[in-house]
Amino acid sequence: MGSRASPFAPRLALLVLVLLLLAALPSQADGVNVTAVLAAFPNFSDFARLLASTPVAGELFGRSSLTLLAVPNANLPRSPSAFAAASGADLADVLRYHVLLEYLSPSDLARVPASGKLVTTLFQTTGRASSDLGAVNLTAVAATGSNSTTIVVRSPAPSPGSSNATVLGAVTEEPYNISVLAVGGLIVPSGLDIAASGSETRPSPAVNITRVLFDARGFNVAASMLEASGVADDFEADERGAGVTIFVPTDDAFVDLPATDRLQSLPADRKAVVLRFHVLHSYYPLGSLQSIVNPVQPTLATECTEAGRFTLNITRFNGSVAIDTGVVQATITRTVFDQNPVAVFAVSKVLLPKEMFGRGNIAGASGAMPPAGKAPDVSGGVGTRPAKLFSPPAPHGTDSKSSSASARDANWRCIGLVFLQLHLSLLLLPLV
């Protein structure tokens, strides 16, 4: 008599399949693996080896929303290290200058104006770039004898030691995570602080936010308001804690303010509240903002009032970061400064809190909110700053995984566990 197949064999096979699927779930915690991205393109193997031979490849773990300016093998100098040294630069810093802290697709490049687009690079995060010289200026240049344009990458302030390169074309992209563009040669930044190039571990001084804004150009109104109000002085202590993330309206954003908002007519204490409303008490690079777990974020103004007030709703929208105050919807237009523990982003509009500028509170000077520093109905008494309202993410650039990447990894594993539990329930149901 022939043997009968065990009725449990299909179920066992299904269980094994589920376990294999769980094991194959991708881990999102490592961020961008740039050498793996370039591995599929032998024409960039030498550039990939340069990244792997320096700390730069490791610095990209945990980051996202990047653009890599990769140099083809044929366009690299015979000795990249000697090339960098001849320009007074360290090779690692030259490579950092090829990592843009903004995702730029080919369609984004097609919209670059003739006046140029300033984009912050990974080199800016080292603290060795003075002013905005850690950024690159992308400029659209009309090709001779045709209607086409080419994109040229150069320093915002070219100097004898600096160099530029032309974008040759797109290599590959993982939408909103990393875009790889081919450029015609290594790009050397201007104004290198050569004496500081070997001082990777020295503690950085507190960042002078107003100086950063004045140097970056286009933020004179915000810089003047921060300086005059004294709010900028609050940042230094915050930098030594969890850090700060600052959303800075451009000068054009202030010009576009409706006359009915009367921001400039507010008393000094309420104007300071509006400025604090533009600041998160934690360091968030752009990639972390794009994948933030809790979209409702308290601000420095929240800490001077009470929980749940003066918060920003931060979400990802069409590849950018959208910020909703309940009255104003703005977007991040570019990275101005990113050096742990301080991130500064340009925003398209002045962020007006609904507690002061919402319906019925347009006259912000009429007492619609308590004075800064006062916290009515909060235990601890008037004038007592409440405890921190949230836990900051793990410091960027450390051995710990970024909070956003860890959250994504946890989500994947939770999905896998639910899937496993469902199939186990189906397997055991006939035995009950």
Side-chain angles (χ1 to χ4, degrees):
M1 186 172 62
S3 61
R4 289 176 50 190
S6 171
F8 296 101
R11 297 170 186 164
L12 181 60
L14 180 59
L15 177 59
V16 171
L17 177 60
V18 170
L19 293 175
L20 288 174
L21 286 173
L22 286 176
L25 281 176
S27 173
Q28 303 289 325
D30 288 338
V32 173
N33 186 336
V34 67
T35 53
V37 171
L38 292 178
F41 304 94
N43 194 32
F44 295 90
S45 58
D46 292 344
F47 189 75
R49 278 193 290 270
L50 287 177
L51 292 170
S53 67
T54 64
V56 178
E59 291 170 8
L60 301 185
F61 286 126
R63 283 189 179 270
S64 60
S65 192
L66 304 174
T67 299
L68 177 66
L69 305 179
V71 183
N73 298 343
N75 296 67
L76 281 172
R78 181 170 299 177
S79 174
S81 296
F83 173 83
S87 304
D90 176 73
L91 177 59
D93 281 342
V94 171
L95 294 175
R96 291 183 182 104
Y97 201 55
H98 288 68
V99 180
L100 312 187
L101 302 184
E102 183 176 337
Y103 177 85
L104 296 174
S105 66
S107 59
D108 293 325
L109 293 182
R111 292 191 292 269
V112 170
S115 58
K117 175 182 175 65
L118 206 62
V119 183
T120 303
T121 74
L122 188 64
F123 175 52
Q124 184 74 49
T125 69
T126 65
R128 292 190 289 278
S130 58
S131 183
D132 60 356
L133 298 184
V136 295
N137 190 21
L138 304 180
T139 308
V141 178
T144 305
S146 71
N147 295 326
S148 62
T149 60
T150 57
I151 302 297
V152 177
V153 186
R154 55 168 61 96
S155 168
S159 65
S162 64
S163 62
N164 54 34
T166 300
V167 175
L168 304 177
V171 179
T172 186
E173 61 181 336
E174 296 175 4
Y176 311 124
N177 190 32
I178 183 170
S179 171
V180 181
L181 305 175
V183 292
L186 286 177
I187 311 163
V188 177
S190 298
L192 285 169
D193 183 357
I194 301 174
S197 61
S199 305
E200 295 272 1
T201 58
R202 70 179 184 178
S204 300
V207 176
N208 186 327
I209 301 298
T210 54
R211 176 51 52 196
V212 167
L213 296 178
F214 281 127
D215 289 344
R217 298 187 291 273
F219 303 96
N220 292 329
V221 176
S224 299
M225 291 179 67
L226 285 170
E227 194 170 51
S229 66
V231 172
D233 297 335
D234 297 343
F235 296 157
E236 184 171 344
D238 292 319
E239 290 174 28
R240 309 208 182 280
V244 290
T245 300
I246 307 169
F247 304 114
V248 185
T250 61
D251 290 341
D252 289 341
F254 282 98
V255 172
D256 292 340
L257 270 177
T260 54
D261 288 336
R262 297 187 293 183
L263 172 63
Q264 298 297 347
S265 66
L266 290 176
D269 59 340
R270 283 166 170 72
K271 196 179 294 184
V273 171
V274 175
L275 294 174
R276 291 187 177 95
F277 185 62
H278 287 70
V279 184
L280 305 183
H281 190 124
S282 191
Y283 167 68
Y284 287 107
L286 185 60
S288 296
L289 288 176
Q290 290 179 326
S291 55
I292 200 163
V293 176
N294 179 14
V296 180
Q297 289 291 309
T299 65
L300 290 191
T302 309
E303 297 181 9
C304 294
T305 55
E306 55 185 312
R309 288 166 57 83
F310 293 93
T311 59
L312 295 174
N313 192 306
I314 302 173
T315 55
R316 182 171 180 160
F317 179 74
N318 285 347
S320 183
V321 175
I323 304 172
D324 191 341
T325 72
V327 175
V328 172
Q329 292 80 41
T331 57
I332 290 179
T333 57
R334 72 178 176 99
T335 301
V336 179
F337 183 89
D338 182 353
Q339 179 184 330
N340 194 349
V342 177
V344 182
F345 301 102
V347 290
S348 58
K349 295 182 181 180
V350 179
L351 305 180
L352 303 176
K354 64 179 182 295
E355 289 81 0
M356 297 173 63
F357 295 89
R359 189 180 300 274
N361 290 325
I362 296 299
S366 65
M369 59 152 290
K374 303 294 184 181
D377 302 322
V378 176
S379 59
V382 174
T384 302
R385 287 171 65 95
K388 294 291 177 280
L389 303 173
F390 62 98
S391 299
H396 190 74
T398 64
D399 291 335
S400 59
K401 304 297 183 183
S402 69
S403 60
S404 60
S406 297
R408 290 194 301 269
D409 188 56
N411 288 340
W412 275 100
R413 298 194 182 282
C414 286
I415 292 171
L417 288 173
V418 170
F419 188 52
L420 176 60
Q421 186 177 17
L422 175 62
H423 280 276
L424 286 176
S425 299
L426 292 175
L427 289 172
L428 296 176
L429 186 59
L431 302 178
V432 176

